[in-house]
Each structure stands twice: as C-alpha cells, then as structure tokens.
Amino acid sequence: MAKLEILEFPDPRLREVAKPVATVTDSVRTLVDDMLETMYARPGIGLAATQVNVHQRVVVIDISEDQSEPLILINPTFEVLDHQLHEYDEGCLSIPGFYETVSRPRQIRLKALDYQGESYALEAEGLLAVCIQHELDHLEGKLFVDYISPLKRNRIRTKLEKAHRQRA
Ligand code: QAP
Ligand code: CO
C-alpha cells in the first residue's frame, strides 16, 4: 500500500470531472487500497479519487469510530429520498483546517460497485448521507466551499495559498 498526495484548494485539478471505471481490475483495487491508507492516515472519513489526482469515479468512506467499516464506491450514483435539507458542518481533506455549514438533502439512496465489482444499493441519512453527497461532488469537480458565500470562499483561498507559499 502507498500513501498518496492530496491536492488542496484552489488547485485547478480539483475541478476536473472524473470518468467512469470501465472494469474493476486489480489496478482499481490498488487505487482503493492506497486511498483508504491515505484517508486513514490523516485521519478522514471520506476521500474521492479526484483529491489524489486520479480522475476516475472512485470514492472511499469510513464513518466508523475505529476505521473498521470501509465503504467502497465505484461509479456511484444517488437519488434523493427526502428532499428536506439538513445542515452539517463540513470539512474536507483538500481544505484542511476549515469547516463551514452546508445544507443537503437529508436522505438518499446510493447505487455503486464494490471492491469486487458487484453492484449494491444502500439508503443513507445523517452523517453518511452528507459524506456520500460531499464525495460524489468531488467527482464532478465540486467542493463544499462552492455552497458558501464568495467572501468566505475567497478568505479560505487566500489563507490556503499563503500556507502553500510558506510550505514551498
Ligand atoms: C467529508 O471530510 C465530510 O480540515 C470528509 O484538518 C466532512 O474526511 C463529510 C479533515 C464532514 C461530512 C462531514 C479535515 C482532516 C478530514 C480537516 C474529511 C483536517 C483534517 C475531512
Ligand atoms: Co472533500
């Protein structure tokens, strides 16, 4: 397994739209393994392939307390079951140190392929529903800061750009 580098806002590569996985091969499974290692190391609860500069429709999620319930989402899609909006303070491994309140539909039904390439479906609400919607946004080149005011977004951009310059 290998830890991967995570792109940070406002890197333009976070805006790419990911392509469907044609077949779940061993190389896709290696990507999944590396993404889980990368997410668990930070630690995080969700990571999309876009964030590690791989523009394929692959996401990993684990909202358990003890990193014991990895959920693999390949070519995921969802439909909204309950349109009532639910607010959550979201963060992102690509926007480290910043959290903002975002409203999203409360309940969804996910369809995806698993590690073996088998299709599955699940209904989600609460944190899992938030996380799935947040990660699927990444595959479309969208970030949670797109839902907040331009003023707040620009403040975050300026602070992260400064941090990146100091790191370089
Ligand atoms: C997306 O986010 C998410 O700022 C996953 O310094 C977040 O794993 C979905 C993280 C909240 C639903 C609710 C963020 C780690 C991890 C940071 C994450 C940080 C270190 C974020
Ligand atoms: Co994110």
Side-chain angles (χ1 to χ4, degrees), residues 25-73:
T25 57
D26 283 344
S27 74
V28 174
R29 281 185 277 271
T30 299
L31 170 65
V32 166
D33 293 342
D34 291 347
M35 286 172 61
L36 281 169
E37 182 178 348
T38 303
M39 177 179 76
Y40 286 146
R42 287 297 287 266
I45 59 169
L47 182 69
T50 305
Q51 295 175 272
V52 294
N53 199 28
V54 176
H55 301 284
Q56 297 186 43
R57 304 189 81 83
V58 176
V59 164
V60 297
I61 290 175
D62 191 336
I63 60 162
S64 72
E65 293 284 327
D66 54 355
Q67 307 191 336
S68 63
E69 292 170 37
L71 185 63
I72 314 305
L73 296 75

Side-chain angles (χ1 to χ4, degrees), residues 131-148:
C131 199
I132 289 169
Q133 293 175 78
H134 174 116
E135 299 310 330
L136 269 59
D137 269 357
H138 277 298
L139 302 181
E140 300 300 323
K142 268 184 106 173
L143 299 168
F144 83 80
V145 292
D146 299 345
Y147 298 101
I148 65 177

Side-chain angles (χ1 to χ4, degrees), residues 52-111:
V52 294
N53 199 28
V54 176
H55 301 284
Q56 297 186 43
R57 304 189 81 83
V58 176
V59 164
V60 297
I61 290 175
D62 191 336
I63 60 162
S64 72
E65 293 284 327
D66 54 355
Q67 307 191 336
S68 63
E69 292 170 37
L71 185 63
I72 314 305
L73 296 75
I74 299 167
N75 296 346
T77 58
F78 75 94
E79 62 179 297
V80 175
L81 295 182
D82 181 352
H83 288 266
Q84 194 180 309
L85 296 179
H86 177 262
E87 286 189 342
Y88 204 95
D89 269 349
E90 295 190 20
C92 182
L93 288 167
S94 292
I95 312 176
F98 296 91
Y99 295 83
E100 295 290 344
T101 305
V102 176
S103 294
R104 299 183 189 269
R106 199 188 70 84
Q107 195 186 27
I108 61 166
R109 179 181 154 89
L110 166 74
K111 276 190 188 174

